[in-house]
Amino acid sequence: MKTDITLTINGDAVREAVEPRTSLADLLRDNLQLTGTHLGCEMGACGACLVMLDGAPVHACLVLAVQASGHKVETIEGLNERGLIKDLQEKFHDRNALQCGFCTNGMLMSAQALLLDNPTPSRPEIREALSGNYCRCTGYEAIVDAISATAKMRSGQAGEAS
Amino acid sequence: MIPSKNHIGQSHRRKNAFRHLAGRGRFVTDLALPRMVHAAFVRSPMAKGNIVELDVSEAAAASGVVRVFTAETLNHTCVPWTGTLDHFAGMQSGAQNMLASNEVLWVGHPVVMILAHSRAEAEDACELVMLDIEDEDAVVDGDAALVKGTPLAAEGINSNMCFQTVLETPDLDDAFTRSAHVVEGKFTFGRHTAVTLEPRAIIADFDPSTGQLDVHHGTQTPYQFQDVYARHFGLSEGRVRVIAPDIGGSFGMKLHVYHEEMAAVAASLMLGRPVRFVADRLESFVSDIHARDHRVTARMALDAEGGILAMDVDDMTQIGAFSSYPRTSVAEGNQVIRLMGAPYQMPDYRGRLSVVFQNKVQTSQYRAVGHPIACAVTEALVDRAAELLDLDPFEIRRRNLLADDAYPHISATGYQFEKLSHQASLEKLHQMIGYEALRAEQIALRKQGIYRGIGIAPFVEITNPGAAFYGIGGARISAQDGAVIRLTPAGDVHCAISVTEQGQGTETIIAQIVADQLGVTPDQVKVTTGDTDNTPSGGATWACRGAGIGGETALRAGRKLQAQILTLAGEILQADPMHLALASGAVVDKTTGQERITLAEIGRIATYRPDTLPKGSDNSLTAAQHFAPSGYPFDFTNGIQASHVEVDIETGVTRLLKHWVVEDCGRIINPLLVDEQIRGGVVQGLGPAFFEECLYDDMGQMTNASLVDYLVPMAGEMPDIEIAHIETPTLDTILGAKGVGEAGTAAAGAAAMNAVNDALRPLGARISQTPMTPLRILTALGHV
């Protein structure tokens, strides 16, 4: 028994028929081939599947697709194409804040959400904000450095503009 | 003048990082092929038992189900595999096949494979399988496994001892007799597992119309699996292609043969359509290899001045129900007993190894095989000796570490060291951490009831393994690597190489090395990895061989192509190739640096107008090179780590304040990537030191098999990690690079344990079990 849902994904209106048990992550990955959202644990512990739901990061593995009906979803593909996180991406690249790349989507989501909420986070605050993002490769320090550098750049630019 | 070729040694960023940052990674889990079916497995819910009834008829009739396989219908397609190697004399292990036929040997042992149009439907059908298993006593504990009368952990073995060996110098007993001091200890190192963020993933795709098997496989060793699939399924190797694109972490876990991957291949061969298996996290915990699980008893003999005379070590390692294939589950313990005392001028040694079967998932090679155990035991004993003799931890190591001019050196365990830098590393660390100030702070804080500790741990790391590792034991695991480099008609460079990329930056360092040989920039070098049809055969990336062996292969291939290009240019320019060189994308005059002809023009002439070349000219713009190490059996690296911790003696919770590493990996190709490899490695060493443990109950049930219950290091718990380098290139290769991937993991736990014990010392407490959980620390303090 499938249910029709309509939602906005990366700015596009999407209409899909899904089983009630389909997770938002499976909808994105399997139905829409938006494979930048990764699945590491499917129980909300690793953070690889984070997407923005109405602007706030949520675990796409814990949200049912039907629950997202009527809402706005933004994935890594959307943030990338809209150029919203270009500075974060560049700092991650400069600092080699990724190795295998599997956690990177979730890290960028958490980082973006943090910086919108707290534009000048301390290093402990950044580490705290990443408490739900598991990375096996980097040791985290490079990720903290990249987010810290982005925060400094963003707040510096904001200062110049004002 | 010719611009210097200096990309080797520079912190170039990774080009392939752009794809990941844009959400455009190409992981096996992202791939969907036409006609693809999804696999799920019914697994044993108990650690040991006999299958007395199995009924899959209801599952076979379920919605979306394409096929249901049991041992009876699947196993006959595959030659069973046995995880033994000839050079481990006397080792035994039962033969394995894809699905359990009579006995189940651990919780998670696959019994039934169900293929359906979706994974969800396959899982639904798993619920409909009627599986009746008659419970048997499981062998859970390693010591108990060796008691006479204990049941066997598996069929096909004659005792629960998989392998035993003793390594001994003739004067060992004498050394203990004449020693002034002996320190000793018993240590327990828990089981943990790799927890790669992307679980194991495979899509096997057999096309009956061509006889071609394509396997998209999240593995670090594609050639090994090309060979395994060909041999075990009776296929010609040329018709087996293994494609390993982006891999979401591997760390040694993704180079072992697993039942589910073999079953996916078998099913695809039978169905003639793509079969996908992706482990979910719960499955990963009960089917990925686990690591470590050692109990060690050790003692160290010292002279009156604190000079280390000898170590006597007994390591019992518990490996699960069978030895893994094709590298065995013995390599870990073998390295434990051979790495003991490795950094020290220690003349005598005895190491006993007992490798024991039990009814758990198998343990096998995981990052820094054996190193953390040997390092933790050695360094704990050195610290105990320092305490006994009232020596500073730095001072006792100054007295005992191999002198920097003492090379070449052969260790008491038989390892040959070309050249290491222990003493220089020790002094560098001493300065780097501001040791005197840290000690002063420690003493001052104790008066306020704050207990901090400083722990240090020198280490030796095995890198660049040659054929001695597996080849001599009969395993078909390549000890060499290969590269094919070509100049394209437009003057670009392409390098296909057998070493693989899992995020270490292999492709980037290979581009740097090739660029320097051909006078181009790394951006102009496209590197292809991870495809057995499109790269030459080789061992790929494991045991720290990517830079040292793969890099040397690329360098030699690059030089070969350089010579070909210069010869051709000489013919085009009517010049002596000896007077030409490559720089800035062109052939230049070697003396003046003046451009003579661009690489693009060479490519154009050789490709489109070979008729204009002198008669008999060789217009080849492709060079192939294979390389295997032939000097020292391994290129050992060395370094030292320090850990600074604070232990809350009321709660037993440890806070990691800072970690430092001094590392000597020989020639550094890319400092940015090397440092992040080390940091990641350190955290993989700190994880099992404080958090990670696969917990089992008395019945052999794993009780924390989820990412909610199994603790992994997260950003908030990890310290900043400061890194310094010393460079002692190996003279065995032109490049001079050694490995670095295991260095961080090798000694982090040892430094951490010494730091915790340093913090606990004024309280008369000591811990010698990892992970060092709050409960264990409170127990050591006598609070519980």
Side-chain angles (χ1 to χ4, degrees):
Chain A
M1 214 11 214
K2 289 194 171 179
T3 306
D4 281 333
I5 59 169
T6 54
L7 65 170
T8 306
I9 298 178
N10 298 331
D12 295 334
V14 171
R15 188 185 176 91
E16 282 283 315
V18 297
E19 287 185 36
R21 67 176 172 185
T22 304
S23 71
L24 176 58
D26 288 343
L27 170 75
L28 294 170
R29 290 180 52 81
D30 298 342
N31 297 42
L32 305 173
Q33 284 82 53
L34 293 169
T35 54
T37 300
H38 295 150
L39 287 167
C41 71
E42 296 176 77
M43 52 171 50
C46 78
C49 70
L50 287 172
V51 297
M52 298 292 185
L53 183 66
D54 297 332
V58 297
H59 290 99
C61 72
L62 295 184
V63 175
L64 292 170
V66 291
Q67 290 176 298
S69 191
H71 294 275
K72 284 184 183 167
V73 174
E74 183 126 37
T75 70
I76 182 67
E77 288 89 349
L79 288 181
N80 177 64
E81 280 156 28
R82 285 209 288 151
L84 278 181
I85 53 166
K86 197 165 189 303
D87 50 357
L88 258 177
Q89 290 167 314
E90 279 171 5
K91 292 299 176 196
F92 268 62
H93 191 218
D94 287 346
R95 193 58 193 80
N96 199 44
L98 67 154
Q99 286 181 26
C100 80
F102 203 77
C103 74
T104 305
N105 160 63
M107 288 293 178
L108 291 169
M109 291 286 163
S110 282
Q112 176 70 353
L114 167 70
L115 295 181
L116 291 176
D117 186 49
N118 176 3
T120 54
S122 65
R123 288 177 74 82
E125 283 172 336
I126 294 171
R127 286 191 178 273
E128 181 65 29
L130 298 179
S131 64
N133 288 89
Y134 173 46
C135 169
R136 190 54 146 180
C137 303
T138 61
Y140 300 105
E141 186 168 336
I143 297 169
V144 176
D145 290 348
I147 296 170
S148 180
T150 308
K152 281 181 186 140
M153 203 171 67
R154 282 189 188 178
S155 54
Q157 281 171 350
E160 283 166 15
S162 59
Chain B
M1 287 300 291
I2 303 170
S4 59
K5 298 168 179 176
N6 55 0
H7 298 104
I8 294 174
Q10 301 300 311
S11 285
H12 285 277
R13 299 175 302 175
R14 282 166 53 210
K15 202 167 19 170
N16 55 12
F18 283 126
R19 291 192 290 103
H20 294 301
L21 287 161
R24 287 174 172 267
R26 293 189 288 263
F27 297 92
V28 172
T29 36
D30 299 332
L31 189 64
L33 298 179
R35 309 176 74 245
M36 182 169 84
V37 292
H38 300 253
F41 290 85
V42 176
R43 297 171 182 278
S44 170
M46 50 193 70
K48 180 87 186 296
N50 272 308
I51 299 170
V52 290
E53 197 184 343
L54 178 58
D55 183 353
V56 298
S57 53
E58 211 181 322
S63 167
V65 169
V66 173
R67 189 75 80 88
V68 178
F69 288 110
T70 63
E72 197 181 356
T73 52
L74 195 70
N75 284 2
H76 66 91
T77 63
C78 177
V79 175
W81 61 92
T82 307
T84 54
L85 284 170
D86 301 342
H87 64 309
F88 294 131
M91 90 164 284
Q92 60 166 340
S93 180
Q96 291 290 308
N97 210 319
M98 297 174 283
L99 299 173
S101 53
N102 301 313
E103 272 197 317
V104 290
L105 301 177
W106 79 94
V107 173
H109 195 164
V111 180
V112 178
M113 179 195 211
I114 297 184
L115 301 175
H117 292 299
S118 72
R119 167 76 183 213
E121 288 171 320
E123 285 182 22
D124 288 346
C126 285
E127 301 284 319
L128 303 173
V129 169
M130 215 292 287
L131 172 62
D132 188 10
I133 297 173
E134 195 172 66
D135 211 350
E136 287 184 358
D137 287 342
V139 180
V140 178
D141 179 80
D143 286 316
L146 298 178
V147 173
K148 205 170 178 185
T150 301
L152 295 178
E155 48 190 15
I157 53 175
N158 57 35
S159 82
N160 286 327
M161 185 71 83
C162 168
F163 177 69
Q164 258 187 311
T165 193
V166 181
L167 196 67
E168 186 170 3
T169 58
D171 297 330
L172 185 276
D173 291 321
D174 180 54
F176 274 88
T177 307
R178 63 189 158 81
S179 66
H181 308 282
V182 174
V183 288
E184 56 193 4
K186 282 180 191 283
F187 303 86
T188 305
F189 301 94
R191 258 184 181 243
H192 57 89
T193 185
V195 202
T196 59
L197 192 48
E198 182 190 38
R200 287 189 284 122
I202 190 168
I203 301 172
D205 179 14
F206 178 65
D207 182 347
S209 65
T210 60
Q212 173 76 25
L213 172 71
D214 288 349
V215 185
H216 305 266
H217 191 173
T219 176
Q220 59 201 88
T221 50
Y223 307 92
Q224 176 196 297
F225 280 102
Q226 180 187 33
D227 168 70
V228 165
Y229 297 144
R231 279 191 295 117
H232 287 271
F233 295 104
L235 305 166
S236 89
E237 193 168 85
R239 289 288 171 83
V240 179
R241 177 185 181 192
V242 178
I243 308 151
D246 291 328
I247 296 138
S250 48
F251 317 115
M253 188 274 280
K254 291 179 181 169
L255 50 66
H256 308 289
V257 167
Y258 292 95
H259 299 71
E260 299 87 351
E261 278 95 323
M262 296 295 270
V265 171
S268 180
L269 289 169
M270 288 174 80
L271 269 58
R273 61 193 296 181
V275 174
R276 177 191 203 253
F277 169 70
V278 177
D280 67 26
R281 184 57 59 190
L282 304 179
E283 291 184 287
S284 295
F285 275 107
V286 296
S287 63
D288 292 356
I289 57 117
H290 292 176
R292 320 304 183 210
D293 207 356
H294 296 259
R295 285 176 199 160
V296 181
T297 306
R299 56 189 187 130
M300 179 181 275
L302 299 110
D303 64 23
E305 285 72 47
I308 300 170
L309 301 174
M311 282 178 80
D312 184 2
V313 175
D314 196 330
D315 176 29
M316 194 266 290
T317 174
Q318 308 162 93
I319 62 163
F322 63 93
S323 167
S324 71
Y325 180 74
R327 293 167 194 247
T328 81
S329 302
V330 163
E332 159 92 2
N334 187 54
Q335 279 187 200
V336 166
I337 62 162
R338 283 166 205 276
L339 280 164
M340 289 281 176
Y344 298 103
Q345 179 68 53
M346 177 181 78
D348 286 300
Y349 179 73
R350 177 164 58 216
R352 292 177 205 271
L353 172 66
S354 308
V355 181
V356 181
F357 291 115
Q358 41 170 193
N359 291 112
K360 297 179 182 175
V361 68
Q362 83 267 24
T363 67
S364 199
Q365 283 81 312
Y366 165 69
R367 195 172 195 172
V369 181
H371 294 65
I373 311 303
C375 190
V377 169
T378 304
E379 297 312 319
L381 292 183
V382 172
D383 262 21
R384 287 178 197 193
E387 189 180 349
L388 185 70
L389 290 152
D390 199 22
L391 289 173
D392 184 89
F394 274 90
E395 179 54 28
I396 193 167
R397 288 173 174 90
R398 267 184 207 114
R399 293 184 189 184
N400 284 289
L401 283 169
L402 284 160
D404 293 350
D405 60 0
Y407 300 94
H409 173 83
I410 298 177
S411 76
T413 66
Y415 280 143
Q416 299 173 48
F417 301 139
E418 180 194 9
K419 182 147 175 50
L420 301 172
S421 59
H422 285 298
Q423 294 286 355
S425 298
L426 183 82
E427 291 315 316
K428 192 158 197 160
L429 183 83
H430 191 267
Q431 291 168 17
M432 188 177 166
I433 71 177
Y435 185 62
E436 309 303 342
L438 274 189
R439 279 284 178 223
E441 180 198 63
Q442 178 188 41
I443 292 161
L445 286 174
R446 269 184 204 157
K447 289 171 190 155
Q448 303 167 35
I450 294 170
Y451 290 87
R452 290 191 171 176
I454 308 151
I456 60 173
F459 64 92
V460 159
E461 182 201 350
I462 301 174
T463 79
N464 294 356
F469 230 53
Y470 296 111
I472 59 167
R476 294 173 63 85
I477 294 165
S478 173
Q480 58 88 48
D481 275 282
V484 174
I485 305 190
R486 58 194 164 91
L487 190 70
T488 73
D492 294 328
V493 178
H494 181 264
C495 175
I497 191 154
S498 58
V499 284
T500 51
E501 167 82 88
Q502 294 96 45
Q504 303 97 325
T506 305
E507 292 176 359
T508 304
I509 64 158
I510 296 299
Q512 289 175 249
I513 293 163
V514 170
D516 276 2
Q517 312 316 310
L518 298 176
V520 296
T521 62
D523 278 352
Q524 291 171 277
V525 183
K526 182 176 181 180
V527 179
T528 296
T529 61
D531 181 345
T532 59
D533 263 13
N534 290 311
T535 59
S537 174
T541 304
W542 53 271
C544 273
R545 54 198 307 294
I549 301 178
E552 179 74 3
T553 310
L555 182 146
R556 291 180 183 215
R559 291 197 175 178
K560 215 180 226 182
L561 181 58
Q562 178 196 76
Q564 285 174 211
I565 292 169
L566 292 179
T567 302
L568 191 57
E571 288 176 348
I572 294 168
L573 300 168
Q574 297 292 295
D576 183 346
M578 294 293 287
H579 297 147
L580 301 172
L582 298 181
S584 305
V587 177
V588 300
D589 185 285
K590 202 172 192 171
T591 316
T592 65
Q594 195 180 359
E595 181 178 308
R596 298 291 307 276
I597 183 171
T598 63
L599 290 179
E601 184 61 3
I602 300 263
R604 185 192 70 79
I605 293 169
T607 308
Y608 304 113
R609 293 305 306 277
D611 58 302
T612 62
L613 295 170
K615 199 172 168 63
S617 290
D618 183 353
N619 69 329
S620 301
L621 291 178
T622 300
Q625 177 76 50
H626 289 262
F627 172 76
S630 58
Y632 281 82
F634 309 103
D635 287 327
F636 288 94
T637 72
N638 71 283
I640 184 167
Q641 300 194 21
S643 193
H644 190 210
V645 303
E646 184 175 305
V647 182
D648 183 329
I649 59 163
E650 300 299 324
T651 63
V653 172
T654 306
R655 192 155 63 96
L656 300 167
L657 301 171
K658 180 96 189 212
H659 202 94
W660 297 266
V661 181
V662 177
E663 212 284 329
D664 184 347
C665 63
R667 175 85 76 98
I668 294 172
I669 298 162
N670 185 320
L672 176 70
L673 304 186
V674 159
D675 284 0
E676 292 321 311
Q677 274 272 82
I678 293 172
R679 288 197 175 92
V682 165
V683 170
Q684 280 192 34
L686 293 176
F690 290 101
F691 310 106
E692 297 183 49
E693 187 169 24
C694 300
L695 296 168
Y696 283 82
D697 68 13
D698 293 345
M699 306 287 284
Q701 289 284 346
M702 189 176 165
T703 57
N704 64 338
S706 84
L707 254 186
V708 173
D709 300 308
Y710 179 98
L711 300 181
V712 287
M714 300 298 280
E717 292 124 11
M718 288 298 106
D720 281 344
I721 300 160
E722 201 176 314
I723 295 165
H725 298 281
I726 289 171
E727 287 189 73
T728 310
T730 171
L731 301 180
D732 272 352
T733 61
I734 303 164
L735 185 61
K738 306 174 189 174
V740 76
E742 338 264 352
T745 310
M753 189 190 269
N754 280 353
V756 169
N757 281 326
D758 186 47
L760 298 180
R761 189 163 291 120
L763 301 162
R766 178 189 281 163
I767 189 163
S768 45
Q769 179 172 9
T770 60
M772 296 179 278
T773 61
L775 182 62
R776 287 176 184 149
I777 288 176
L778 291 176
T779 305
L781 284 163
H783 292 349
V784 286

